[in-house]
């Protein structure tokens, strides 16, 4: 376990300066970062927004796999789609039902992107943004209005703004109350599917851009540059991170057959 934690610590320190943690913590979004080069594809960073949304502490999440947030109503087909995207090292955006620490289920827009090393084109990290989806049906049942016209009502900001900073505790409480309408604990049925709005999709895309911008900046300071797209030299070969791990395991344990299922948050 200690060796695993050491690898997780090196995951960031070898690629970015120490200030990257503070810079990422300044972002208001809910997101996790995982390292595919470490066995089990563990979470190596979780934002404050994600901790507040999920109810877990950072110590409970770091080193764990995204499977810990799944539950009985999580769609297995969607999970397989995410695993396939990880294997093929490509971005993906899906609607996903996950569970908080207290067992409350909630819908979110899960948008995953990759971070590549500029020198060799290898995927160094996966970034997964989670934007809570508010059920349109329950908003109507609660008498709440919804608009995509860019209006500036406080309700719309609370429901879709998803906490600009940790200090916005009252907004977060209101958001949790709305999300709780989808919970089994309230006696209401969870919808079979919940589609993200265009506004929520734009929020996720903006969050990905901001995170990649921070990672790119702090990788420049170490000279080990990263980018959001595979940017190795033409004709330069590379091995996917999942295959790289498999080859290492086969080399170390030649008589064993290993199979790992990695899924970020």
């Amino acid at each position: 376990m200690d060796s695993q934690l050491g690898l997780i610590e090196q995951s960031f320190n070898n690629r970015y300066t120490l200030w990257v943690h503070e810079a990422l913590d300044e972002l208001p979004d809910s997101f996790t970062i995982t390292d595919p080069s470490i066995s089990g594809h563990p979470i190596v960073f979780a934002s404050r927004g994600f901790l507040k949304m999920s109810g877990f502490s950072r110590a409970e999440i770091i080193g764990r796999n995204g499977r810990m947030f799944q539950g009985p109503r999580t769609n297995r087909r969607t999970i397989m789609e995410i695993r396939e995207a990880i294997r093929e090292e490509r971005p993906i955006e899906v609607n996903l039902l996950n569970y908080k620490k207290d067992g409350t289920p909630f819908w979110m827009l899960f948008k995953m992107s990759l971070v590549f090393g500029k020198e060799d084109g290898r995927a160094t990290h996966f970034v997964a943004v989670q934007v809570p989806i508010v059920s349109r049906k329950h908003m109507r049942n609660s008498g709440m209005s919804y608009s995509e016209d860019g209006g500036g009502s406080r309700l719309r900001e609370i429901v879709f703004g998803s906490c600009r900073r940790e200090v916005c505790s009252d907004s977060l409480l209101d958001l949790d109350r709305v999300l709780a309408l989808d919970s089994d604990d309230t006696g209401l049925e969870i919808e079979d599917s919940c589609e993200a709005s265009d506004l929520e999709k734009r929020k996720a895309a903006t969050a990905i851009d901001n995170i990649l911008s921070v990672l790119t900046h702090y990788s420049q300071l170490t000279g080990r540059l990263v980018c959001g797209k595979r940017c190795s030299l033409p004709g330069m070969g590379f091995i996917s991170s999942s295959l790289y791990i498999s080859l290492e395991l086969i080399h170390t344990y030649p008589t064993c057959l290993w199979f790992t299922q990695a899924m970020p948050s």
Side-chain angles (χ1 to χ4, degrees):
M1 183 64 180
D2 289 339
S3 60
Q4 180 87 343
L5 292 176
L7 289 174
I8 290 171
E9 184 176 346
Q10 293 175 15
S11 177
F12 260 40
N13 294 347
N14 288 348
R15 178 70 61 173
Y16 311 101
T17 68
L18 295 177
W19 297 292
V20 70
H21 291 275
E22 183 177 347
L24 290 171
D25 264 338
E26 287 295 316
L27 298 177
D29 309 289
S30 170
F31 64 93
T32 56
I33 300 177
T34 58
D35 190 334
S37 69
I38 303 176
S39 179
H41 200 150
I43 297 170
V44 297
F45 182 86
S47 71
R48 290 183 181 179
F50 182 82
L51 300 178
K52 190 167 290 291
M53 180 183 72
S54 66
F56 288 93
S57 68
R58 191 163 282 168
E60 292 174 310
I61 291 178
I62 300 301
R64 301 284 300 278
N65 186 274
R67 288 188 295 271
M68 68 182 290
F69 309 113
Q70 299 171 21
R73 297 293 296 273
T74 303
N75 190 303
R76 301 303 153 188
R77 181 177 297 178
T78 303
I79 296 302
M80 292 305 298
E81 290 176 6
I82 296 174
R83 287 176 178 168
E84 186 69 12
I86 292 172
R87 188 184 68 81
E88 297 177 356
E89 296 189 346
R90 57 176 172 81
I92 189 173
E93 180 180 282
V94 294
N95 303 310
L96 183 66
L97 181 73
N98 264 0
Y99 288 75
K100 299 182 180 183
K101 182 179 180 179
D102 64 4
T104 302
F106 69 102
W107 280 99
M108 67 178 183
L109 175 64
F110 178 91
K111 186 177 181 66
M112 186 183 72
S113 188
L114 288 82
V115 182
F116 297 98
K118 196 166 186 177
E119 70 279 2
D120 58 7
R122 179 178 295 169
T124 64
H125 294 99
F126 284 73
V127 176
V129 169
Q130 302 87 13
V131 177
I133 300 175
V134 179
S135 167
R136 310 296 175 251
K137 181 178 72 175
H138 288 142
M139 284 182 66
R140 291 193 297 270
N141 292 343
S142 303
M144 296 180 181
S145 61
Y146 168 70
S147 171
E148 288 279 7
D149 60 1
S153 69
R154 183 174 184 276
L155 174 61
R156 185 170 180 272
E157 180 65 22
I158 289 174
V159 173
F160 296 110
S162 169
C163 111
R164 301 201 176 277
R165 282 302 194 89
E166 192 173 11
V167 294
C168 301
S169 56
D170 56 338
S171 297
L172 283 167
L173 289 173
D174 288 340
L175 178 59
D176 284 341
R177 292 190 190 103
V178 174
L179 291 175
L181 292 173
D182 281 337
S183 171
D184 279 334
D185 298 335
T186 64
L188 298 175
E189 292 185 0
I190 303 174
E191 295 179 67
D192 291 335
S193 64
C194 200
E195 295 294 326
S197 67
D198 290 340
L199 181 63
E200 289 158 344
K201 291 179 180 180
R202 290 196 298 270
K203 179 179 174 63
T206 299
I208 287 288
D209 289 342
N210 291 339
I211 296 164
L212 292 177
S213 178
V214 169
L215 295 179
T216 300
H217 173 72
Y218 285 94
S219 70
Q220 290 175 338
L221 300 179
T222 64
R224 303 191 65 190
L225 274 66
V226 299
C227 48
K229 294 182 179 180
R230 184 169 274 121
C231 41
S232 56
L233 297 175
M236 189 177 190
F238 66 90
I239 301 177
S240 71
S241 299
S242 56
L243 178 58
Y244 182 78
I245 294 174
S246 299
L247 291 176
E248 280 193 332
L249 291 172
I250 292 172
H251 175 74
T252 306
Y253 305 98
T255 61
C256 299
L257 177 64
W258 290 77
F259 177 76
T260 58
Q261 292 181 327
M263 210 290 290
S265 61

